[in-house]
Amino acid sequence: MYTAGAENFLRQAREIQDEELQKFISRITGFLQNRDLGNETTDCLQRLFLIVSATKYGRKLDDPFVTLLQTTLHLPKCPEQVQILCAAILREMSPCNRLALSWDKIQDPKLLSAAFSIKLAQGITKSEVEALGQRVVKILEGRIPEGQSARCLLPLLSKLISLSPASLNEDQINLLSKRMVDWLRYASVQQGVPQSSGGFFNPRARQPGPITEVDGTVATDFFTVLSVGQHYTDDQWLNMQAFSMLRKWLLCYGTDGPTNPNSDDKSEVDGSVVSMVSVTSTSSRLLPPKERLREKAFEYCQRLIEQSNRRTLKKGDGELQKACLVEAVTIMDIACKQDSAYVYRALSCLKNLHGWVSGDLSHARALLPIAQFFLNHSETAAVDAEAIYKHLFTDVPAQLFHSPMLAYEFAQFCRQNLRLFAEGLGVFRQSTPNLFKFMDLLPALLGEDTALEIFHLLLDLPCLAAALDVQLRSGLTPAPALDPATKPATCLEAFRHPQYRGLFQYLLRAESAPGDPGRLVPLRQLLGAMASSSRVVQCAEGVPVLLQLFFGVVAKFADGALANKLVLAMLERSDQLYEIPAFKAEVYRVMGAHLPPLCARHPALVVELSKELLEFSGTVTNIQSKEDVFTSVVWAIGEYVSVSHDKRCTVEQINKFFEVLEAMLFEITQLRPSASLSSSSSPRVIAVLMTALTKLASRSQDLIPRVSLSLAKMRTFAQSPAVSATYDAEALLTRATELLNLLKLPTVAQFALTPSADISSPRFHRDTNTSLPLAMETTSQVLAGGAGPGRRRRSSVPG
């Protein structure tokens, strides 16, 4: 954060009282009224700016002082620093009704730029934007007076384009396109002259030298943003600013106008990286302004690519190279979209560029616009770019997963091109495990062939985060000698150990591959030591949200076979999760919430997976550790083990399910002196088990006596003091009584617990007068001799 000195200044600025502030403003007022704009005034204005900007609460400045700041801002010979400070203070005061700025009175480009920044903070209207646009164009089309510069107008023009592209008419667009051609192509190749410090000097020592390349050699071609000099001339600054707004200009104004008459000319295919020194074509001068600008922009980008292949002398120049390379390829892509003739000129150039960029990970960001170019134009040029896409989706995420900037740009690139990927780019989904290192692409990756693997990947995300962390650290430390016979003591040693190397490689794989997730159990246990890592914890917190999204997307296309595989995977993976208690609880909650809808869409899976469901529901430990999943499984058994949902369902199967659930209910409701009731099951589990048993008995009436006995015991269980002290015993007693009374009328039980399809339609459940709870409670009231449904009491236990 801030240093102690900076914190002290901020505290003083925030704590200054209004009375002291008014005295300070009075002092500044005296300086400004006397036109004393020296160092002391500058220092006072700096302090005032700190005061008005250091707090979120607005500081009130008197109207005369605000007017005086505006007057000082417009002074013809106002020092630049004072002008900037006055504009900054007025910006902090905005929005303010006392501010009144008019573009017509401003001649100085610097003042126009400062006034525009105030207007932006004040709130600028469309008419004001248009008026300012006309003013900027008027200044640029004329001759700039000596001592002034158009440099500050191009950032302003770029902002105007963003606010209102329609503020410029066709003639003005053509005029500025011509200006941009001059700025981009014809800037001086001599260095600028530094400002004179006064005194005696040797004129020869001040002669400017030539512009150089980033590697120190003298430049032999036109000036670009990658040209190097100690001082720059105004036209060189305009060159750099024009390039910075070139992409926006082409996107806004590059598509209108006549097409290139030589659009079919493919003679300029050779655009190799090693030789791109362009020659100004005589014919290009005959092109319309927009097309000539596109031509010069393309040549400028070719020169930037050539310059980016040079070895830099300074680290900062290397970073600038990478940024310019990304921008240059993007602008070339735009030019090719607007005129397909440029595709053939760019093709060889970008193929060669990909050749050397793909071998240098420091230039990985440039791979994204290169891939974008081939996505947009490979069909036009009839080239196969599969190798480019494969390298992008496999090598880049595997090696640069730790780069936040690249991860963001990579995700943006994928999201912007999802439609193209869906049309036939198989390598995209084939790289699903690798892309999970960047995430944010889940819906696009999901399909019938990838859903099951993605489900396992989601559950293993915390484990993957831990493995990536180990992989990253392994590259930063030297590898010591390891004894293969010795068990590794740390995760880092395990990463290099032959016994675990295959497991790490499978977890960190770049492409989809078949495999048994159960083989990763030893690795999950080993990586459990990193469960407290902030990266792992944050990743684990995101898994439940991603699982919700996963089930929501899969539900739209999953067929019966996929639903079976997913339910089976849920049951198996419930025992194979990364050891973070909060993570496991949330995953169980999401699984439990989405298992019933999956069974509702494919009820036959309950019979088809009867063996697995019997095994899961017959394990007592699943009740306490996986209550949400266990409850959903029991509910699905009671709801869908019926011949009405699957003709293959037999009485024997119903009896098997009944016996398992009956044993579970008996097990969890036994009051043993050595067992603590608080560690037993929740009322929800007991209620769902009672209801599922009653449903099964209604379909096989030979079971009614057995379930009636169980329900009678449950009434005794609910009335015991130990249960009453821990549970909502009244709710359990009510549920047991209702179910018991319902079984006294088998025909009513069949109707209420196993309704036909027309009765259980959505409209039936929306009708409160014919709902299942009403039917059950009415039956209970009749059997108990009550007054009917008007006196019914709602049960608080679900079933």
Side-chain angles (χ1 to χ4, degrees), residues 459 543-544 547 577 582-592 629:
L459 297 181
V543 171
L547 279 176
L577 295 177
F583 163 72
K584 295 174 71 173
E586 283 297 299
V587 169
Y588 293 149
R589 180 186 61 81
V590 176
M591 285 183 178
V629 182

Side-chain angles (χ1 to χ4, degrees), residues 787-799:
R791 294 174 52 189
R792 71 183 184 274
R793 178 177 57 199
R794 294 289 182 186
S795 172
S796 62
V797 180

Side-chain angles (χ1 to χ4, degrees), residues 1 46 49 108 189 210 250 267 293 319 350 381 421 462 485 564 589 605 693 715 719 758 787:
M1 293 296 290
Q46 286 177 336
F49 173 68
D108 185 1
V189 292
L250 290 177
S267 60
L293 174 59
E319 295 302 315
L350 294 185
F421 296 159
N564 283 14
R589 180 186 61 81
L605 68 82
L693 287 169
R715 295 176 64 180
Q719 292 172 341
D758 56 335

Side-chain angles (χ1 to χ4, degrees), residues 360-664:
D360 185 357
L361 290 179
S362 64
H363 287 83
R365 287 183 59 209
L367 294 172
L368 297 174
I370 293 174
Q372 185 68 64
F373 173 87
F374 283 97
L375 279 172
N376 293 337
H377 307 292
S378 59
E379 186 176 348
T380 302
V383 296
D384 183 9
E386 189 72 14
I388 293 176
Y389 308 142
K390 187 175 181 63
H391 175 265
L392 179 65
F393 289 128
T394 55
D395 294 352
V396 174
Q399 300 179 52
L400 296 172
F401 60 87
H402 52 82
S403 171
M405 177 61 74
L406 183 64
Y408 172 77
E409 293 183 351
F410 192 94
Q412 289 292 95
F413 166 79
C414 292
R415 293 212 316 234
Q416 290 167 3
N417 293 283
L418 289 179
R419 181 182 58 82
L420 296 175
F421 296 159
E423 290 175 357
L425 196 60
V427 69
F428 178 66
R429 283 189 175 174
Q430 183 66 23
S431 305
T432 294
N434 215 22
L435 297 179
F436 258 67
K437 295 165 188 173
F438 285 158
M439 281 312 300
D440 201 31
L441 304 168
L442 183 59
L445 296 170
L446 277 171
E448 292 184 4
D449 54 337
T450 61
L452 190 61
E453 184 177 16
I454 288 177
F455 177 71
H456 290 294
L457 286 170
L458 285 173
L459 297 181
D460 283 330
L461 271 181
C463 194
L464 176 62
L468 289 172
D469 189 89
V470 173
Q471 182 188 20
L472 189 60
R473 286 190 286 122
S474 70
L476 303 176
T477 57
L482 291 175
D483 183 4
T486 305
K487 186 176 181 179
T490 65
C491 297
L492 197 56
E493 289 181 7
F495 185 76
R496 297 162 177 157
H497 198 281
Q499 180 181 349
Y500 291 91
R501 187 177 302 149
L503 299 179
F504 272 104
Q505 288 175 350
Y506 177 74
L507 183 60
L508 298 170
R509 64 193 183 277
E511 296 183 1
S512 295
D516 178 17
R519 64 188 287 206
L520 294 177
V521 171
L523 188 59
R524 294 190 194 101
Q525 294 173 349
L526 180 72
L527 294 173
M530 298 183 62
S532 59
S533 167
S534 58
R535 290 180 178 176
V536 175
V537 171
Q538 187 173 12
C539 189
E541 290 173 350
V543 171
V545 178
L546 294 172
L547 279 176
Q548 296 271 16
L549 178 61
F550 169 85
F551 284 114
V553 175
V554 167
K556 298 176 183 177
F557 62 80
D559 57 8
L562 180 57
N564 283 14
K565 293 177 183 178
L566 284 175
V567 171
L568 190 59
M570 286 188 209
L571 301 180
E572 293 175 350
R573 288 305 305 270
S574 63
D575 287 325
Q576 303 173 14
L577 295 177
Y578 194 69
E579 284 298 328
I580 300 179
F583 163 72
K584 295 174 71 173
E586 283 297 299
V587 169
Y588 293 149
R589 180 186 61 81
V590 176
M591 285 183 178
H594 287 278
L595 183 60
L598 203 57
C599 294
R601 291 186 177 89
H602 308 281
L605 68 82
V606 179
V607 173
E608 293 170 357
L609 299 178
S610 58
K611 180 181 177 181
E612 291 80 7
L613 293 175
L614 280 169
E615 182 181 351
F616 184 87
S617 58
T619 305
V620 178
T621 55
N622 288 340
I623 302 177
Q624 297 178 358
S625 60
K626 311 165 192 174
E627 180 180 315
D628 291 301
V629 182
F630 181 85
T631 304
S632 295
V633 168
V634 172
W635 177 89
I637 291 172
E639 191 72 16
Y640 299 114
V641 177
S642 169
V643 70
S644 62
H645 291 290
D646 192 334
K647 300 298 182 183
R648 296 170 296 176
C649 182
T650 63
V651 175
E652 289 76 15
Q653 284 181 319
I654 294 176
N655 290 342
K656 283 183 180 180
F657 278 111
F658 182 89
E659 290 172 359
V660 170
L661 299 186
E662 183 185 39
M664 293 300 294

